[in-house]
Every structure is written in C-alpha cells, then in structure tokens.
Amino acid sequence: MERSQEPHAAAARGAVEVSLRRFDLADVDAMMVWASDPQVAAVCRWEPYESTEPLLAYLRDTVLPHPWFRAICVAGGDDRPVGAVSVSPTADPCRAELGYVVARAHWGKGVATAAVKRVVATVFGEVEGLERVEALVDVRNAASQRVLEKAGFRREAVLRKYRVLKGDVRDMVIYSFISTDPLETQPITPSPAAVRQRAPMEVTLRRFELSDVDAMMAWASDPAVAAFCRWEPYESTEPLLAYLRDTVLPHPWFRAICVAGGDDRPVGAVSVSPTADPCRAELGYVVARAHWGKGVATAAVKRVVATVFGEVEGLERVEALVDVDNAASRRVVEKAGFRREGVLRRHYWHKGRVRDLVMYSFISSDR
C-alpha cells in the first residue's frame, strides 16, 4: 500500500499519471517484485510469494477471470505493472469492494491515489447496477487511508473487530465512493414516564421446529413486517415450511423468540449468521406486529449478545446493518447496547432500490 511523503516534496512534483490495463500471463515477473516483498504483503491477506509458480497460478486462475482486476502502469514507462487494483463484486450488486497494491519503489509518489481516481472515474460506467465502491482499511494503515481520502472517498466508520488479518482480529475503517460523488437525526427514545411504567420484557430463545410453521406464518405473511426484510410476504405455508426445513433448521445460530410465561409459540426470530471473517457475524431479527413496541426485540437481542460469544468459537463482533429509514430497528439495537459506527451509503439493494444502511456493532468486550 502507498505511504506518505513530505508535503514540500509533493508540492514540488507534478501529479503522477498512470494507466490501467488488463493483466496477462507475461506480467508474472513484474508482479513478483511486489508479491514477494514482506513489507508490501504486511497489510494484505496473502503471504509473500517465494517463487513465480504459485503466483503464475494465481494470475491464471484468479486475476485473469476476475471481472475487474487491472494492472497499474506509470504513464510514459515501459508498460510493466507497478501495482494492481481491483473492484470485486459483493453479495449486493449495487456495491463492490476496492483493493489495491503498489510496489514499494513507487510508494509515496501518488501512484495508488492516481490509480484509485482512475477507477472511480470509469468503473460506474462499466459495471451495470454499481452504485457504491467501498474500501476496508486496517485502522493502523494511515498511508492507505490517505490514498482513499485524496481520491475522494468518504470515511464512514470504524468497524471494531471486523476482520481477521494474519491471526489478529483487526479494527477496519470503511470508506465509500458512490456514483453521485464528485470526481476530485437523533434516535427517538421513549419518555421517562413510559420507561418507569413498563416492566422489562422477558423472553426466551430456543431452536425452531417444523411444527412452528403456523406460528411463523403470523409474521411471515404480514407485508408490514416484511417491508424492511429481504423476503416478500409468504402467501401459503408450503414455501415457508421449505424455508424452515432447508434454511432455518440447518442454520448454525437461528432461534425462535418466545415470550416468557407464554405458550412457547414463537413471536419472532433472531439469527447470528457467519460472514467471510470468522471473527464477526451478522445479526438479524423479526418480530410479529402484535408484539411491536413491547420490548420483545430488544430483550431478544440482549439475550443474544449475552450468550453467543460463548457459543460461537472465535466470534469477536456481532454487527447489525439497519436501513437508515428504519428508526424502530435502530432503537432496538441501541437499547441493546450496540454502538452506532456510521452510515454506509448506497450499500444495499433492497426491493428495487439502493439503500443507505446504518452499521452497528457489539463486540465481545462490550458485555
């Protein structure tokens, strides 16, 4: 990743110019210059390469088939790559993740910044449906943070204990550049009187069973409940039963929410789903409309964070991504002790619209 230089040196030199092109197999020797350098690899997921054979395999099997992976070349040079930049698809077609690396001989010369500027100037026109390019940078990597800021990315949040990097659980800074960026409300809380008058809700969490399908139908068929969920309201129990059987029951951490002292019928569901990084998981929850505003979701989420870190090996962070317009759900996680980290712009494609999401987290040391 690029490092900084003294301000007077930067001012004395004109802006560097770079070109981006597709890689070919003949680039393997030029790639080896940075791919074998331990200092370059220090903040990357991969270890330094010791020979060209595995690097050639990576170039052939990963780089060449990648939808948007480019060689960085210094304009006026010999067209040999001095680095690489990629824009990788995510689970949501409206957003992709930026990655880049530059050979150490070109650190501090503006190469990475120039390359990233070229990316955002062209990629939105080349990738259909793309609305957001995001970058996740180790909180200690000040040089890479400067690259993004100089390229016009907006710093959105620090995501605590977000990624495992070479055996360490790291905090990451998330940046974004959205398609409308130029190239160069307080949460509502209940009144004190209402808080004093209502006793805390008590709930229990248990595993689902196939016999819960009729109880689930009470919320799964409700358009008001489904409004902020990815799924559409169910019209019959058959597809819901299939979802229960094929997705819910095999899920590593998916629980029915039951009101304590009731009949053990689920009034909602809460899940903690694995992500690409084993140190973090994503929270999801839903509650039947008859139980909105009664503290059921908050009580369930509190139970989750009280137990899940002891049940899921290696888990350090539970995160919740909440639609910016879903004030009720934001209140749930805030009352459950989650920390608001930032707003992720155009992060999520939801029922035909690109949405901003609020990122919340609860880490193992928050208990």
Side-chain angles (χ1 to χ4, degrees):
M1 296 296 178
E2 187 178 47
R3 291 186 171 181
S4 64
Q5 62 178 39
E6 295 299 322
H8 62 80
R13 189 179 63 239
V16 70
E17 292 187 12
V18 302
S19 61
L20 304 180
R21 63 165 175 81
R22 294 185 181 275
F23 276 94
D24 55 54
L25 292 177
D27 292 319
V28 66
D29 291 328
M31 287 182 71
M32 193 66 184
V33 172
W34 73 78
S36 63
D37 188 335
Q39 288 185 253
V40 174
V43 291
C44 300
R45 292 203 173 191
W46 41 268
E47 298 293 342
Y49 285 81
E50 297 181 355
S51 66
T52 57
E53 287 77 7
L55 183 59
L56 185 63
Y58 171 72
L59 183 57
R60 180 188 65 240
D61 300 337
T62 301
V63 174
L64 297 188
H66 192 284
W68 216 99
F69 204 119
R70 302 292 187 263
I72 304 171
C73 305
V74 176
D78 59 5
D79 202 42
R80 288 169 61 85
V82 300
V85 62
S86 61
V87 178
S88 299
T90 69
D92 286 292
C94 64
R95 61 186 173 91
E97 185 172 347
L98 177 74
Y100 52 89
V101 62
V102 171
R104 184 151 44 113
H106 294 272
W107 286 357
K109 298 179 180 180
V111 171
T113 300
V116 173
K117 286 182 176 180
R118 276 200 171 271
V119 169
V120 296
T122 60
V123 74
F124 292 103
E126 296 179 3
V127 179
E128 185 178 1
L130 185 64
E131 292 288 340
R132 168 192 171 93
V133 176
E134 63 191 25
L136 289 156
V137 184
D138 191 296
V139 73
R140 296 180 298 186
N141 192 350
S144 196
Q145 292 172 44
R146 287 194 295 272
V147 166
L148 296 166
E149 289 162 2
K150 289 187 286 185
F153 277 65
R154 181 183 297 181
R155 178 180 171 129
E156 293 181 329
V158 173
L159 310 182
R160 304 174 301 153
K161 294 191 176 184
Y162 190 79
R163 176 165 287 177
V164 176
L165 181 64
K166 297 179 177 175
D168 290 332
V169 180
R170 305 295 306 147
D171 295 352
M172 307 295 287
V173 186
I174 189 165
Y175 288 86
S176 73
F177 195 105
I178 63 175
S179 60
T180 55
D181 283 341
L183 293 171
E184 274 302 70
T185 48
Q186 295 298 316
I188 304 170
T189 56
S191 68
V195 172
R196 286 194 298 270
Q197 291 169 5
R198 190 173 63 225
M201 171 62 65
E202 292 188 13
V203 301
T204 60
L205 305 181
R206 64 164 175 82
R207 293 186 181 276
F208 274 94
E209 302 172 357
L210 290 178
S211 58
D212 292 320
V213 67
D214 291 330
M216 287 182 71
M217 195 65 184
W219 72 79
S221 62
D222 187 337
V225 174
F228 286 107
C229 299
R230 291 206 174 195
W231 40 269
E232 298 293 341
Y234 284 81
E235 296 181 355
S236 67
T237 57
E238 286 77 7
L240 184 59
L241 185 63
Y243 171 72
L244 183 57
R245 180 188 65 240
D246 300 335
T247 301
V248 174
L249 298 189
H251 192 284
W253 216 99
F254 204 117
R255 302 293 186 263
I257 304 171
C258 305
V259 175
D263 59 4
D264 201 43
R265 287 170 61 85
V267 300
V270 62
S271 61
V272 178
S273 299
T275 69
D277 284 290
C279 65
R280 61 185 174 91
E282 186 173 345
L283 177 74
Y285 51 89
V286 62
V287 171
R289 185 149 43 125
H291 293 271
W292 286 359
K294 299 178 180 179
V296 170
T298 300
V301 173
K302 286 181 176 179
R303 277 201 172 271
V304 169
V305 296
T307 60
V308 73
F309 292 102
E311 296 179 3
V312 180
E313 185 178 0
L315 185 64
E316 293 287 341
R317 168 190 172 96
V318 176
E319 63 191 27
L321 288 157
V322 185
D323 192 293
V324 71
D325 289 336
N326 192 349
S329 195
R330 297 203 312 269
R331 290 196 296 274
V332 165
V333 290
E334 288 165 2
K335 288 187 288 184
F338 278 63
R339 180 184 297 183
R340 178 179 170 135
E341 293 180 330
V343 175
L344 310 185
R345 303 174 303 151
R346 295 194 179 188
H347 189 78
Y348 170 63
W349 188 265
H350 180 67
K351 298 181 178 178
R353 299 175 59 199
V354 179
R355 305 294 301 154
D356 295 351
L357 297 179
V358 186
M359 172 67 89
Y360 289 89
S361 73
F362 194 106
I363 62 177
S364 57
S365 56
D366 287 340
R367 291 177 289 174

